Amino acid sequence: MSFPHFLLLFFLIPIPIIFHFISKRFLRTKDFPSLLFVLKSDRKLLRWFRLRRLLLLLLRIGIITSLIFAASNLLIPFSFPDLDRKVILDQSLSMRERNISHKSCVVVPNRGGIPLIYKAVRRYPTGILVTDAQRNGFKELFIKGDRYPGIDLEKIPMPDGNIGIIDHQIGSPFRGDKVDILFTILNQYKDSRNIRLSLYIDDSELDKKNLLLHTGTNELRFSIHLKEGSHSGALMVDDEDGFEFDNIRYFTLFVLPVTKIVIYSTRYPEKLLAALHSPSFQVKWIKEQPGKIEGDIFISECICLDAISKIVKDSIPGIICISGRDKCPYAMEIPDRISKIANLSGFSSFSELQSLSDIPIRYDCRPTPGRTLLYFENGDPFLKRTGNVLFLPVTMEESDLSLHPVFIPFLYELIAYLLKGDYDNDILMDEPFVIKASSEPVVITPDNKRYKPTSIGDNRYLFTQTGKPGIYRVSLGTSEERCISVNPYPSESMLDTLKAQESANLFGRGNYHNGATFFLVMAFLLYSLSIVLERT
Amino acid sequence: MDFLKPEIIEEVGSLNLRARLVVEGFLIGLHQSPFHGFSLEFHEHRPYYPGDPINRINWKLYGRTDRYYLRKYQAETNLSAYLLLDKSKSMDYGGKITKFHYARTLAASLAYLLLHQNDSVGLVVFDRGVKTFLPPKSRLTHLKLLLKDLANAEPSEKTSISDVIFNIAPMIKRRSLIIVFSDLLEDPDEVIRAFRLIRVRKNEVIVFHILDRDEREFEFTEQALYRDMEDYTTIPVNPLNIKELYRNRFNEFLKLYRSGFAHNRIDYSLITTDTPYNKALRKYLSKRKRLS
């Protein structure tokens, strides 16, 4: 029932009853000798006249009742509701942080958004859904609440829009290079907004910027010099849209030390040497296959993976294996494919690696050997990982990859990826992270609580309690420390709307009928019936 | 003959004058004397002479004797007539001229006519019972008394024609002409059964069924509380909805009377209150001629 206050109109119901009893007084009395004489001969007819008056009274009461129910949007259940109904509580961040001055609705925030609520409501017969309905796609529900009969809406004023940082990417942080950090900022207002941003690294403000945000997604790049080692930071937006949680974006980065790279090639690897000509790298070219390699990265050309000895595999963090046509089933097609990727790339403000970055390298970097890391747009594998070996099934001679502008950043990405190891340091809320440590680590959450992660064997530990955004610090026993940033899901910031089918599924239109329509039709039918009856 | 229209006749205050006006006016219109040949009592036959009206030739006798004979009536023999006037409340319906006013004027006119024919005329005014009973007399002075009773009668109470007929039937000693003025708003079967009793006693009956045009047409449009004039029961009715039904039922009601009276050889005239009196009288005279 959406508008129960309309039920107050029930005081109108006595009107036809009163009219029924006093109508005779308003009618002119006409003496006429033969009408009743004629009608008296037909008692059934006279009885029908009296019954008709009573029926008309009932119909008029019915019409008024139907109209009142229609106005109050009374829900009509067409099936017996399930007695075992769940109360679903929206634990999204906004429930906690939207208005800090109010008492918190939930203690433990969880990631929200439409998918979670939708899933929960679909799973359980929902009695009450408690949600602030902010950026969860309920805007339409609140504007047009009558479309969803049976829901008592307590309307919360919706903002016109929202500004939030929804994503960030960090370039290859090699020593001596500037580190590129690209933030994606969402402006959902209808007009452009001027905002002030502050970048914090290791708890100190590093940079400030004023930015004109256009409607939609905006990108903001910072290029900063940082020392070697692990860093954590955050970008903060000063806005007053009421949503605090997406006004800060946490990130971590690790500036790599000088990387030692060994290239094994029987021919002069001029393209690779040229690409890796940087103060960040110490490159060594060898012609003979080594038994043991001193270095960080080993790039081997035209050899089979099996040919790399276990000693080599164990002694070096990363191996890039560049295969020839005869070693790889995809090699015959790859030059064209590479060109295709290259053509798609276009100009990008982020190391000109936009198209390759779009391909989900990061999301597939799970500690599972044999995983495909990079795909073509049709789903074919482009880059595979076997253990700590990256398999690139293309040679420099056979493809145009090395000629393309994306090649050098791509190669740097590969090296950085291998050096970073298996684990991602930037995750979203509720995503677990794995810690590789020889002794039991301790995780310090943003609110300075200490947790011991669960051991999953092989010197690996799993931590799952990432329900709060912020920087999680992992103490590895010695002075070594690892930082992990946890950010909300981008869907939290989206003020999108429910689709019609989602609304229907969510609010059980299968079991309930729109009361307004039903009672309007009912009122019309009763009215038609009364007209017919009056003329009978 | 416009002056014989009911609304004009009603302008005349005295019932006596009204009756006289109707009858004299009517007779002027006929261009012939009413004072012959209307007796009911047959006297003898006489041979036909050229110039005699051929409608009085006894054709049956001609069939037997092959000669023309005319019926001859006893001119001095009085016809005994009873005027039965219904003064029930339902007769009070109408605009300027109610059914009762019309019936009263018509009865007075017939009394005037009959008395001037040397017939004896009696009067019975009734509703649910006999209210006034004047035995038939042929003296012209009787007219004054008769008209006085007619003038004094006012509509009231319910009607019960059948009871009245059953009551007065024993009082009618000799063969008489019974002329009834009523709206007959009663069970037709009962009424016809009562009249059949009179007919069995060799009496002649003429029924003037007096109705208002509204009762026949039912051309109302305004929704109203319709009240029965005799038992005062009410019913809210939208005339537009019930018009067809009413007309059908009313026509069935009239049809019952028409067929019932015809079956019993009772002369039946349906007259609405806007019918000029001369037409009603002509209807009477023509039928009387046929009866004689």
Side-chain angles (χ1 to χ4, degrees):
Chain A
M1 200 182 301
S2 302
F3 310 106
H5 44 279
F6 274 107
L7 291 180
L8 293 174
L9 293 176
F10 266 119
F11 77 86
L12 294 174
I13 283 186
I15 291 176
I17 299 172
I18 294 167
F19 182 75
H20 175 81
F21 287 109
I22 65 168
S23 61
K24 284 183 177 179
R25 295 187 183 183
F26 290 113
L27 286 176
R28 193 169 65 87
T29 303
K30 184 174 178 61
D31 286 328
F32 193 72
S34 53
L35 177 65
L36 270 154
F37 171 76
V38 168
L39 296 180
K40 263 185 238 169
S41 61
D42 193 339
R43 288 186 178 181
K44 280 184 184 173
L45 191 70
L46 272 179
R47 220 177 292 149
W48 164 242
F49 271 121
R50 293 194 179 96
L51 182 67
R52 191 183 67 171
R53 257 176 73 76
L54 196 65
L55 285 175
L56 278 172
L57 169 67
L58 293 175
L59 284 174
R60 282 163 188 159
I61 292 172
I63 290 167
I64 292 177
T65 310
S66 298
L67 287 175
I68 293 169
F69 281 155
S72 60
N73 203 2
L74 187 73
L75 188 71
I76 306 297
F78 279 105
S79 63
F80 291 104
D82 241 322
L83 292 176
D84 183 24
R85 285 183 172 264
K86 302 286 186 293
V87 175
I88 293 176
L89 188 65
D90 175 10
Q91 295 193 112
S92 63
L93 276 178
S94 57
M95 289 288 280
R96 185 188 62 166
E97 296 192 12
R98 184 173 176 268
N99 194 340
I100 296 168
S101 63
H102 284 188
K103 194 179 176 184
S104 296
C105 295
V106 290
V107 178
V108 182
N110 203 341
R111 73 182 165 89
I114 288 177
L116 189 76
I117 295 174
Y118 183 80
K119 199 173 166 185
V121 176
R122 288 278 288 165
R123 188 170 171 187
Y124 303 109
T126 307
I128 303 168
L129 170 65
V130 183
T131 177
D132 63 351
Q134 306 289 15
R135 84 204 123 269
N136 291 334
F138 287 87
K139 190 174 181 180
E140 187 187 331
L141 170 69
F142 276 79
I143 293 169
K144 299 170 181 173
D146 56 338
R147 285 192 185 177
Y148 310 105
I151 297 173
D152 292 322
L153 291 178
E154 188 63 40
K155 295 194 179 183
I156 301 167
M158 286 288 287
D160 296 332
N162 176 37
I163 289 175
I165 312 165
I166 57 170
D167 197 14
H168 76 273
Q169 294 178 48
I170 297 172
S172 305
F174 292 104
R175 196 196 71 161
D177 285 350
K178 276 187 174 179
V179 180
D180 286 332
I181 310 173
L182 181 77
F183 293 97
T184 306
I185 304 168
L186 181 70
N187 174 17
Q188 290 189 86
Y189 289 99
K190 288 178 182 173
D191 52 352
S192 300
R193 296 282 168 121
N194 254 315
I195 56 159
R196 184 183 173 85
L197 296 120
S198 306
L199 182 70
Y200 291 87
I201 300 283
D202 298 331
D203 298 328
S204 60
E205 191 179 64
L206 199 69
D207 200 357
K208 274 185 183 177
K209 276 188 181 177
N210 285 318
L211 184 67
L212 178 67
L213 284 180
H214 300 290
T215 303
T217 53
N218 298 262
E219 288 182 344
L220 174 65
R221 187 172 67 174
F222 288 92
S223 292
I224 49 173
H225 279 288
L226 288 172
K227 292 177 186 174
E228 289 176 24
S230 178
H231 301 276
S232 62
L235 180 71
M236 295 181 74
V237 180
D238 295 333
D239 76 323
E240 296 174 350
D241 57 12
F243 306 128
E244 299 296 329
F245 67 92
D246 60 359
N247 289 345
I248 184 163
R249 183 81 184 183
Y250 299 98
F251 61 89
T252 61
L253 52 87
F254 185 73
V255 179
L256 296 165
V258 174
T259 307
K260 292 175 185 173
I261 298 172
V262 177
I263 301 171
Y264 164 55
S265 178
T266 52
R267 291 177 295 180
Y268 182 65
E270 69 276 11
K271 291 171 183 170
L272 280 172
L273 289 173
L276 297 171
H277 183 70
S278 161
S280 304
F281 305 116
Q282 279 183 7
V283 184
K284 185 182 177 185
W285 170 43
I286 57 172
K287 291 181 182 175
E288 301 292 331
Q289 183 179 353
K292 188 179 179 184
I293 300 168
E294 296 291 335
D296 301 317
I297 297 290
F298 176 55
I299 299 176
S300 173
E301 199 176 20
C302 301
I303 59 167
C304 187
L305 287 177
D306 297 335
I308 302 173
S309 65
K310 191 173 184 303
I311 301 167
V312 172
K313 287 179 186 175
D314 291 342
S315 63
I316 200 161
I319 299 172
I320 297 173
C321 181
I322 302 177
S323 174
R325 281 171 187 273
D326 53 337
K327 304 293 181 188
C328 174
Y330 310 110
M332 295 298 284
E333 300 174 31
I334 278 173
D336 291 339
R337 295 275 177 89
I338 291 170
S339 295
K340 207 181 232 177
I341 292 172
N343 290 338
L344 284 170
S345 64
F347 174 77
S348 167
S349 60
F350 184 56
S351 305
E352 300 177 16
L353 199 60
Q354 183 71 14
S355 64
L356 290 175
S357 298
D358 283 345
I359 298 167
I361 292 178
R362 190 174 69 175
Y363 299 112
D364 289 307
C365 289
R366 294 287 183 263
T368 309
R371 182 105 183 153
T372 302
L373 301 178
L374 200 63
Y375 298 88
F376 287 109
E377 58 180 355
N378 66 355
D380 287 345
F382 178 56
L383 192 62
K384 294 186 88 170
R385 183 181 179 109
T386 306
N388 60 351
V389 176
L390 289 176
F391 180 65
L392 182 66
V394 65
T395 64
M396 297 298 108
E397 289 76 23
E398 289 172 343
S399 75
D400 59 356
L401 180 64
S402 58
L403 302 176
H404 199 273
V406 301
F407 175 65
I408 294 172
F410 174 60
L411 196 61
Y412 281 33
E413 283 282 313
L414 284 179
I415 293 166
Y417 172 70
L418 285 168
L419 291 175
K420 270 197 290 186
D422 291 336
Y423 314 115
D424 199 353
N425 290 334
D426 289 325
I427 60 171
L428 299 175
M429 287 169 64
D430 282 345
E431 281 185 351
F433 62 83
V434 175
I435 307 152
K436 197 169 184 180
S438 52
S439 59
E440 192 176 30
V442 174
V443 178
I444 305 161
T445 59
D447 50 356
N448 285 324
K449 287 182 181 172
R450 288 171 174 266
Y451 292 94
K452 286 186 178 177
T454 312
S455 172
I456 53 173
D458 198 19
N459 288 335
R460 289 190 300 167
Y461 296 88
L462 184 70
F463 185 74
T464 56
Q465 290 153 296
T466 54
K468 287 180 182 176
I471 301 293
Y472 288 68
R473 298 181 189 282
V474 183
S475 174
L476 298 170
T478 57
S479 60
E480 198 178 348
E481 196 177 68
R482 181 181 162 198
C483 293
I484 289 145
S485 70
V486 176
N487 286 298
Y489 272 70
S491 64
E492 284 275 358
S493 300
M494 302 295 178
L495 287 171
D496 54 356
T497 55
L498 279 180
K499 293 183 180 72
Q501 188 57 46
E502 287 172 337
S503 305
N505 290 336
L506 267 177
F507 304 116
R509 278 177 127 177
N511 291 334
Y512 293 92
H513 190 85
N514 188 326
T517 311
F518 176 82
F519 282 109
L520 275 177
V521 170
M522 176 71 85
F524 177 74
L525 288 176
L526 292 176
Y527 176 72
S528 306
L529 198 61
S530 69
I531 294 292
V532 171
L533 204 60
E534 271 185 353
R535 293 184 179 177
T536 305
Chain B
M1 286 285 181
D2 281 350
F3 65 94
L4 288 181
K5 282 184 178 174
E7 57 270 28
I8 296 171
I9 295 294
E10 284 299 319
E11 295 292 327
V12 180
S14 164
L15 187 61
N16 186 3
L17 281 176
R18 265 190 271 166
R20 190 172 172 182
L21 189 64
V22 170
V23 174
E24 297 296 339
F26 169 67
L27 294 179
I28 291 165
L30 282 180
H31 298 295
Q32 62 179 26
S33 172
F35 299 104
H36 62 90
F38 289 160
S39 175
L40 288 177
E41 299 298 324
F42 173 74
H43 177 55
E44 62 179 1
H45 287 101
R46 70 167 174 82
Y48 169 79
Y49 298 104
D52 285 337
I54 57 169
N55 62 345
R56 293 175 65 186
I57 293 172
N58 190 335
W59 294 105
K60 286 181 182 175
L61 197 59
Y62 169 75
R64 288 200 299 271
T65 61
D66 212 17
R67 290 181 182 179
Y68 296 110
Y69 286 99
L70 259 63
R71 294 188 196 91
K72 193 179 175 185
Y73 296 90
Q74 275 185 339
E76 66 277 13
T77 308
N78 284 342
L79 169 70
S80 180
Y82 285 88
L83 304 175
L84 271 65
L85 177 65
D86 179 3
K87 75 170 196 77
S88 64
K89 193 70 182 168
S90 65
M91 289 291 283
D92 200 22
Y93 180 77
K96 192 175 176 185
I97 303 158
T98 63
K99 291 190 284 184
F100 182 74
H101 286 154
Y102 189 91
R104 185 164 61 180
T105 305
L106 191 58
S109 304
L110 278 172
Y112 185 91
L113 181 63
L114 287 163
L115 282 171
H116 282 83
Q117 255 182 281
N118 296 323
D119 292 331
S120 54
V121 181
L123 175 68
V124 178
V125 180
F126 66 92
D127 39 43
R128 63 169 60 179
V130 176
K131 298 297 174 188
T132 306
F133 183 84
L134 284 180
K137 288 179 183 172
S138 58
R139 288 194 301 271
L140 276 174
T141 51
H142 184 59
L143 179 65
K144 193 178 175 184
L145 192 62
L146 198 141
L147 291 178
K148 186 184 172 191
D149 280 347
L150 278 176
N152 289 336
E154 285 299 329
S156 63
E157 295 202 46
K158 288 185 177 181
T159 184
S160 178
I161 304 169
S162 50
D163 288 351
V164 169
I165 298 290
F166 282 123
N167 287 337
I168 66 163
M171 298 179 193
I172 302 168
K173 300 294 182 188
R174 56 181 290 203
R175 194 179 170 198
S176 301
L177 173 64
I178 314 292
I179 304 171
V180 182
F181 307 90
S182 172
D183 54 8
L184 297 177
L185 291 178
E186 210 179 312
D187 181 11
D189 291 337
E190 290 288 321
V191 174
I192 290 165
R193 195 180 301 127
F195 278 118
R196 194 182 296 142
L197 179 68
I198 295 177
R199 282 289 295 149
V200 166
R201 297 184 177 209
K202 306 285 184 185
N203 294 303
E204 290 295 331
V205 180
I206 302 173
V207 175
F208 284 103
H209 193 175
I210 315 288
L211 291 174
D212 193 276
R213 186 155 293 278
D214 289 345
E215 289 179 288
R216 296 205 65 184
E217 306 291 339
F218 202 67
E219 290 289 0
F220 301 117
T221 53
E222 185 192 358
Q223 186 167 4
L225 203 62
Y226 281 76
R227 182 168 62 187
D228 190 276
M229 295 175 73
E230 292 190 2
D231 62 10
Y232 301 109
T233 53
T234 55
I235 182 169
V237 166
N238 186 348
L240 297 173
N241 296 343
I242 206 171
K243 185 176 170 183
E244 284 303 312
L245 175 76
Y246 172 84
R247 279 183 175 180
N248 292 337
R249 292 285 165 91
F250 200 75
N251 286 334
E252 280 174 23
F253 165 73
L254 296 178
K255 196 176 170 185
L256 277 176
Y257 272 124
R258 200 173 283 124
S259 61
F261 286 140
H263 184 71
N264 291 287
R265 294 185 179 179
I266 293 169
D267 195 5
Y268 171 77
S269 286
L270 178 63
I271 295 171
T272 52
T273 53
D274 55 354
T275 309
Y277 292 113
N278 60 318
K279 286 187 181 174
L281 287 178
R282 182 177 291 134
K283 203 173 274 184
Y284 155 72
L285 288 175
S286 64
K287 295 208 172 169
R288 281 308 301 141
K289 269 186 188 177
R290 189 162 48 81
L291 283 170
S292 64

